[in-house]
């Protein structure tokens, strides 16, 4: 079969050229600074953007150019990431610290500039430095260009719904204490809806998100999981949804009474107010795929209040799934299909140039501090994480980011180009008997900064295989710089003979963050048409510092117009 007739890179270039004449420049100023807010019976100092939690919503249209001037007035060095934006030929604006840029120093500034070419839907932005994304985040909403419409009926109103996570503590110190003690960080104290915890928490009856609606209307809910560490079920009592997009990619309409989304993922649903005039709870409750791991297992609630409702004292509660309900989560994650032929649809590339099999999960590490409160020892070593038995380390203290090293064609001392295509050991990856007493669990994954080099425009297929070492859990894996087709997902160990015939090559869902099933696998495919260095990592915030990451180095294209451009003049220095 012939290779994909037209390189997606050239498609991007042509669309970009044709769209600039009809596009707007959407410009924002983000002041990042510490503010004091009242939550859960106490005042807490947090880092936020423009004094709000969540931060400002960016509203734009497909084809627009986004310009965000960031003034870092906080005491922390940080970066911002525009989650799900492809950043085609704008890799300097992707944001993950020490990968595509050095952090913006406290007291300094940096301007992010990128195009929204060929993308529309619900995305978001967040800090990509330590736990700061707990409070530094906001929605990025991309509507169709003027004269174009959504591939679904007109709605009465669009409503962003952002799930957040709240600590009664300085979140930077939470991560620092976990790093020093070499253990998991303390769980959060609450979850929030649009920054508010809701009446299931102390002192929060008057801090609950309320959505006021008219009966007989259809609303577009743009749901974003901005939590750091937990996947969630979302329901509204007595109502159902129609899923129309995920991760800013349109889908076949899928009817459901529950939405499931992992940290980093977005889901757009049509929500019809077709019930009696009354008040109804909306609720997020965690999907806890690994019950043996302690989490914040609380539920946050908001209110849907119909116009004309006489009382909101006894709202109707939704019937939520059990927090360990993997069948419900898996059904939602796997039943959605892409809107083939719809706006911005990209067919599945059929010829595969690079096959990768990546195992990932938790590991143990060597003790660095034997006097930790938890008694770090050979019998109770600290947690680590890895991909193909390589535990990723950000290149701090190297003087430049990975992308700068790539651009300068001098990566020595910053990273190496030997990330393995396969795991070093073949074993029963999902055997539930692989516990902390086995030799595999105590196998130390070496710390490294390794990338996999991809030829420009090559097609890559990856089997993402969960492992049960230490603990089997559902992991959300985010690939920067690309959307990818999800060809298949399942439980147990991937078997090509059995599972490849199940591939959906016609209308698979397209995502930027895939929730790999607990004790299972997912197969994704994408075309490496975006030159630069792109991070791949678990979007559970605890897992990136532990090393559950790697990176792709995509070579430059055949012409200067398809190569990484020079860095901006105000690019922060390490």
């Amino acid at each position: 079969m012939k290779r994909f007739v037209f390189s997606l890179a050239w498609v991007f270039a042509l669309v970009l050229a044709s769209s600039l004449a009809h596009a707007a420049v959407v410009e924002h100023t983000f002041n990042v600074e510490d503010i004091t807010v009242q939550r859960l019976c106490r005042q807490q100092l947090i880092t936020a953007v423009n004094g709000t939690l969540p931060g400002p919503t960016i509203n734009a249209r497909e084809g627009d150019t986004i310009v965000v001037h960031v003034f870092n007035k906080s005491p922390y060095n940080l970066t911002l990431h525009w989650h799900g934006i492809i950043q085609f030929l704008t890799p300097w604006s992707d944001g993950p610290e020490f990968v595509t840029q050095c952090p913006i120093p406290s007291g300094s500034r940096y301007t992010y500039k990128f195009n929204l070419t060929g993308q529309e839907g619900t995305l978001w932005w967040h800090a990509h430095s330590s736990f700061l994304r707990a409070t530094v985040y906001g929605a990025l909403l991309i509507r169709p260009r003027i004269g174009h419409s959504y591939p679904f009926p007109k709605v009465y109103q669009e409503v962003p719904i952002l799930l957040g996570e709240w600590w009664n503590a300085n979140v930077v110190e939470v991560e620092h204490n976990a790093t020093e003690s070499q253990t998991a960080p303390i769980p959060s104290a609450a979850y929030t809806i649009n920054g508010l915890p809701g009446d299931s928490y102390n002192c929060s009856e008057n801090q609950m998100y309320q959505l006021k609606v008219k009966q007989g209307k259809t609303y577009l809910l743009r749901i974003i999981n901005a939590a750091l560490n937990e996947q969630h079920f979302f329901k509204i009592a007595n109502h159902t949804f129609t899923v129309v997009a995920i991760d800013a990619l349109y889908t076949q309409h899928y009817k459901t009474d529950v939405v499931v989304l992992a940290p980093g993922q977005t889901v757009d649903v049509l929500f019809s107010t077709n019930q009696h005039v009354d008040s109804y709870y909306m609720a997020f409750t965690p999907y806890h795929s690994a019950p043996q791991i302690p989490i914040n297992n609380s539920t946050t609630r908001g209110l849907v209040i119909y116009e004309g409702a006489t009382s909101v004292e006894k709202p109707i509660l939704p019937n939520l799934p059990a927090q360990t309900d993997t069948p419900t989560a898996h059904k939602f994650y796997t039943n959605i299909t892409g809107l083939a032929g719809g706006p911005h649809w990209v067919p599945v590339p059929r010829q595969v140039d690079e096959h990768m099999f990546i195992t990932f999960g938790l590991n143990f590490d060597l003790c660095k501090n034997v006097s930790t409160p938890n008694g770090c020892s050979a019998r109770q070593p600290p947690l680590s994480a890895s991909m193909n038995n390589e535990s990723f380390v950000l290149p701090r203290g190297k003087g430049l980011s990975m992308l700068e090293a790539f651009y300068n064609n001098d990566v020595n001392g910053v990273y190496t180009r030997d990330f393995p295509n396969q795991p070093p050991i073949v074993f029963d990856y999902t055997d539930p008997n692989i516990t902390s007493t086995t030799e595999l669990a105590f196998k130390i994954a070496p710390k490294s900064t390794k990338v996999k080099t991809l030829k420009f425009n090559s097609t890559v297929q990856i089997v993402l295989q969960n492992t049960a070492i230490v603990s089997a859990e559902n992991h959300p894996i985010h690939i920067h710089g690309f959307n990818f087709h999800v060809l298949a997902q399942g439980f147990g160990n991937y078997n090509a003979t059995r599972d490849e015939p199940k591939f959906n090559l016609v209308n698979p869902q397209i995502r930027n963050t895939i929730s790999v099933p607990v004790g299972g696998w997912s197969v994704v495919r994408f075309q490496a048409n975006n030159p630069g260095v792109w991070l791949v990592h678990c979007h559970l915030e605890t897992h990136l510092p532990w090393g559950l990451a790697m990176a792709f180095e995509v070579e430059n294209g055949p012409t200067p117009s398809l190569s990484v451009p020079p860095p901006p003049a105000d690019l922060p220095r390490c």
Side-chain angles (χ1 to χ4, degrees):
M1 181 178 292
K2 284 187 177 181
R3 167 174 293 279
F4 215 157
V5 178
F6 215 71
S7 159
L8 291 182
W10 290 105
V11 172
F12 268 120
L14 289 173
V15 172
L16 177 61
S18 64
S19 66
L20 288 179
H22 305 91
V25 175
V26 178
E27 196 163 3
H28 284 260
T29 296
F30 279 13
N31 291 301
V32 186
E33 54 194 333
D34 283 0
I35 63 172
T36 300
V37 297
Q38 181 84 23
R39 295 288 187 277
L40 307 184
C41 315
R42 58 179 287 170
Q43 289 190 327
Q44 180 65 49
L45 190 69
I46 66 169
T47 304
V49 174
N50 293 359
T52 64
L53 179 69
T57 295
I58 296 177
N59 289 285
R61 293 186 178 276
E62 190 270 322
D64 286 352
T65 296
I66 303 296
V67 178
V68 181
H69 307 287
V70 179
F71 292 84
N72 184 10
K73 303 175 183 179
S74 81
Y76 310 108
N77 301 339
L78 58 79
T79 65
L80 296 185
H81 170 53
W82 316 91
H83 189 108
I85 298 297
I86 299 303
Q87 300 291 358
F88 179 64
L89 298 180
T90 54
W92 304 104
S93 285
D94 191 45
E97 62 177 4
F98 302 109
V99 179
T100 61
Q101 69 170 97
C102 299
I104 306 169
S106 174
S108 189
R109 58 167 292 180
Y110 180 55
T111 296
Y112 293 91
K113 183 177 180 179
F114 51 90
N115 300 110
L116 302 178
T117 304
Q119 292 189 269
E120 59 186 67
T122 301
L123 295 173
W124 64 300
W125 57 266
H126 61 81
H128 214 293
S129 306
S130 71
F131 269 36
L132 284 171
R133 76 174 170 95
T135 54
V136 179
Y137 67 91
L140 200 172
L141 311 181
I142 312 169
R143 296 176 175 84
R145 65 178 59 232
I146 294 174
H148 294 239
S149 61
Y150 294 118
F152 48 80
K154 186 176 180 179
V155 298
Y156 179 72
Q157 187 178 350
E158 300 180 15
V159 182
I161 304 287
L162 287 84
L163 172 70
E165 200 162 0
W166 178 267
W167 273 262
N168 283 330
N170 181 307
V171 294
V172 174
E173 292 179 3
V174 168
E175 186 196 35
H176 176 75
N177 292 339
T179 302
E180 286 298 303
S181 66
Q182 300 176 265
T183 58
I186 60 171
S188 59
Y191 299 108
T192 61
I193 299 175
N194 289 348
L196 300 173
D199 65 356
S200 58
Y201 300 103
N202 291 337
C203 307
S204 301
E205 288 188 5
N206 296 322
Q207 290 193 328
M208 180 161 57
Y209 174 69
Q210 296 185 8
L211 173 59
K212 296 181 179 179
V213 299
K214 293 179 180 288
Q215 190 181 40
K217 301 294 185 180
T218 298
Y219 294 77
L220 176 65
L221 303 185
R222 297 176 174 272
I223 310 168
I224 300 168
N225 189 342
L228 270 67
N229 293 316
E230 307 304 335
Q231 307 187 53
H232 275 77
F233 298 106
F234 174 75
K235 294 192 77 169
I236 297 177
N238 291 13
H239 291 77
T240 58
F241 308 113
T242 300
V243 177
V244 294
I246 54 174
D247 289 3
L249 281 306
Y250 292 117
T251 66
Q252 295 281 351
H253 292 187
Y254 175 64
K255 296 185 181 300
T256 179
D257 68 342
V258 61
V259 169
V260 192
L261 67 173
Q265 293 182 330
T266 72
V267 180
D268 290 1
V269 299
L270 301 181
F271 161 60
S272 295
T273 51
N274 52 13
Q275 297 299 304
H276 296 295
V277 172
D278 209 332
S279 58
Y280 302 85
Y281 274 119
M282 64 170 65
F284 285 97
T285 195
Y287 164 43
H288 194 187
S289 63
Q292 69 277 19
I293 297 178
I295 67 164
N296 173 358
N297 61 2
S298 66
T299 296
T300 183
R301 300 191 298 227
L303 273 180
V304 174
I305 304 174
Y306 277 60
E307 184 179 70
T310 58
S311 173
V312 296
E313 293 181 0
K314 294 183 179 180
I316 299 171
L317 285 163
N319 183 21
L320 291 166
Q323 292 185 351
T324 55
D325 191 349
T326 289
T328 292
H330 189 68
K331 177 182 177 182
F332 180 86
Y333 281 137
T334 57
N335 277 15
I336 294 173
T337 53
L339 186 62
H344 314 299
W345 169 255
V346 177
V348 182
R350 297 303 181 97
Q351 178 179 317
V352 177
D353 304 296
E354 290 276 4
H355 288 270
M356 300 185 71
F357 189 102
I358 300 180
T359 58
F360 60 90
L362 299 183
N363 304 86
F364 289 122
D365 198 0
L366 296 172
C367 290
K368 299 175 184 176
N369 182 359
V370 296
S371 62
T372 59
N374 293 338
C376 177
S377 67
R379 296 176 66 98
Q380 189 179 350
L383 289 171
S384 180
S386 66
M387 287 184 157
N388 279 356
N389 204 51
E390 296 289 339
S391 189
F392 186 82
V393 178
L394 291 171
R396 302 175 189 272
K398 303 296 184 181
L400 69 171
S401 68
M402 297 174 72
L403 182 59
E404 288 176 280
F406 170 81
Y407 180 80
N408 295 332
N409 197 28
D410 183 9
V411 305
N412 292 332
V414 179
Y415 63 86
T416 60
R417 295 181 169 113
D418 54 347
F419 182 83
N421 281 353
Q422 308 286 334
I425 301 173
V426 176
F427 59 98
D428 186 353
Y429 307 114
T430 58
D431 179 1
N433 295 317
I434 299 175
T435 66
S436 59
T437 61
T438 68
E439 181 181 350
L440 280 171
F442 277 84
K443 183 175 179 60
I444 305 300
K447 298 294 183 183
S448 63
T449 309
K450 294 187 176 184
V451 307
K452 165 67 178 177
T453 300
L454 300 174
K455 297 237 177 247
F456 178 79
N457 218 34
S458 60
T459 297
V460 186
Q461 179 172 299
I462 310 172
V463 177
L464 294 165
Q465 176 68 63
N466 239 318
T467 64
I469 297 176
V470 181
S471 172
E473 64 179 312
N474 190 300
H475 286 90
I477 304 297
H478 175 44
I479 301 180
H480 289 235
F482 302 95
N483 290 323
F484 49 80
H485 295 90
V486 181
L487 303 186
Q489 302 181 68
F491 294 103
N493 297 321
Y494 175 77
N495 181 295
T497 302
R498 177 195 65 207
D499 297 321
E500 194 166 327
K502 304 174 187 176
F503 284 8
N504 180 355
L505 301 175
V506 177
N507 64 344
Q509 58 181 268
I510 306 177
R511 282 196 174 274
N512 62 59
T513 305
I514 176 70
S515 193
V516 182
V518 54
W521 52 269
S522 299
V523 180
V524 303
R525 187 182 294 181
F526 68 95
Q527 196 163 4
N529 51 24
N530 195 3
V533 179
W534 306 104
L535 186 65
V536 180
H537 65 104
C538 180
H539 217 267
L540 302 179
E541 191 59 39
T542 55
H543 290 16
L544 175 55
W546 288 348
L548 210 164
M550 54 86 65
F552 287 119
E553 177 195 68
V554 180
E555 295 179 346
N556 284 317
T559 65
S561 64
L562 292 173
S563 301
V564 172
D570 62 341
L571 186 72
R573 309 305 305 170
C574 290

